[in-house]
Amino acid sequence: MTGRTGCSGRRKGDGVEADELLVLVAGGDQTAFEDLYQLVAGPVFGLVRRVVRDPAQSEEVAQEVLLELWRSAARFDPGRGSALSWILTLAHRRAVDRVRSARAAGEREQREAIRSSSPAFDQVAEEVEAGLERESVRRCLDRLTVLQRQSVTLAYYDGYTYREVAERLSLPLGTVKTRMRDGLTRLRQCLGGVA
């Protein structure tokens, strides 16, 4: 198979050939682009694959680079280096951008996950307030007589009816009702009127 020859007489595959093809591509030559694509697609994909690592993402980035090559071929300056170096620089930059973008997206997702798993301010405030209220109730319960505290605890914390409290304490129902009334009155006073 004979390769395309340029003014230098070199065959496709030489560095000079890529330079000549890129100049033709800058002028809109589609056949030159096809030849250039064949010439650089492998090295571009290889470089991108080493940076990006994921095969599917690497293929996508390589295609983006080759499309960019078609669009921006006119920016190539042969006086600053070879076409292959310029193309591989484009590929490397695009691959690094993809990795950085993926990393930033992952960090954003992680921050969002942490933020969404953190309890809302109101929830924290409510938990603190409930804790303070429990402590106040405990302190006020400690100020009741033993008999009042037993009656209130059995009725309000353990869920017993007045009759069941009387049975558990082996006391008459009227006595339990009196202890409960007196105990609740003292609790209300201790808690500042909050019942």
Side-chain angles (χ1 to χ4, degrees):
M1 174 173 173
T2 59
R4 178 183 186 126
T5 57
C7 58
S8 66
R10 296 192 183 223
R11 296 170 56 83
K12 184 163 89 173
D14 294 335
V16 174
E17 181 68 16
D19 292 354
E20 294 169 357
L21 288 171
L22 192 53
V23 170
L24 294 171
V25 169
D29 186 333
Q30 290 182 358
T31 304
F33 180 71
E34 291 171 12
D35 290 343
L36 184 62
Y37 185 100
Q38 292 298 318
L39 186 65
V40 300
V44 166
F45 178 75
L47 174 69
V48 170
R49 179 81 164 87
R50 283 191 302 276
V51 175
V52 176
R53 299 221 170 105
D54 177 73
Q57 293 258 348
S58 297
E59 287 178 17
E60 190 177 310
V61 171
Q63 286 300 318
E64 291 172 5
V65 169
L66 294 167
L67 181 60
E68 182 180 349
L69 181 60
W70 171 256
R71 291 179 180 162
S72 64
R75 292 190 320 203
F76 170 63
D77 179 4
R80 297 184 71 195
S82 73
L84 188 58
S85 293
W86 184 73
I87 294 167
L88 292 177
T89 299
L90 290 176
H92 186 261
R93 287 180 184 161
R94 182 65 63 105
V96 168
D97 286 347
R98 176 64 63 98
V99 169
R100 286 179 181 157
S101 176
R103 186 176 297 140
E107 289 170 358
R108 276 192 307 274
E109 288 174 9
Q110 187 177 20
R111 282 192 306 270
E112 184 57 35
I114 290 169
R115 191 174 323 146
S116 65
S117 68
S118 298
F121 174 75
D122 292 340
Q123 181 182 353
V124 172
E126 287 175 14
E127 289 175 8
V128 168
E129 188 174 313
L132 292 173
E133 287 174 0
R134 280 192 298 273
E135 185 57 37
S136 293
V137 170
R138 278 192 203 106
R139 191 179 63 251
C140 290
L141 278 172
D142 288 343
R143 293 183 182 171
L144 300 179
T145 67
V146 172
L147 299 174
Q148 289 172 337
R149 186 173 45 249
Q150 283 178 330
S151 299
V152 170
T153 302
L154 286 171
Y156 288 93
Y157 287 100
D158 296 337
Y160 291 105
T161 64
Y162 284 15
R163 183 171 306 284
E164 292 169 332
V165 170
E167 290 171 7
R168 287 193 57 87
L169 297 177
S170 302
L171 294 170
L173 181 59
T175 304
V176 168
K177 287 182 178 181
T178 302
R179 285 185 192 165
M180 293 288 287
R181 186 189 68 235
D182 293 345
L184 292 174
T185 300
R186 288 181 69 183
L187 275 176
R188 194 173 296 118
Q189 290 170 348
C190 179
L191 293 171
V194 178

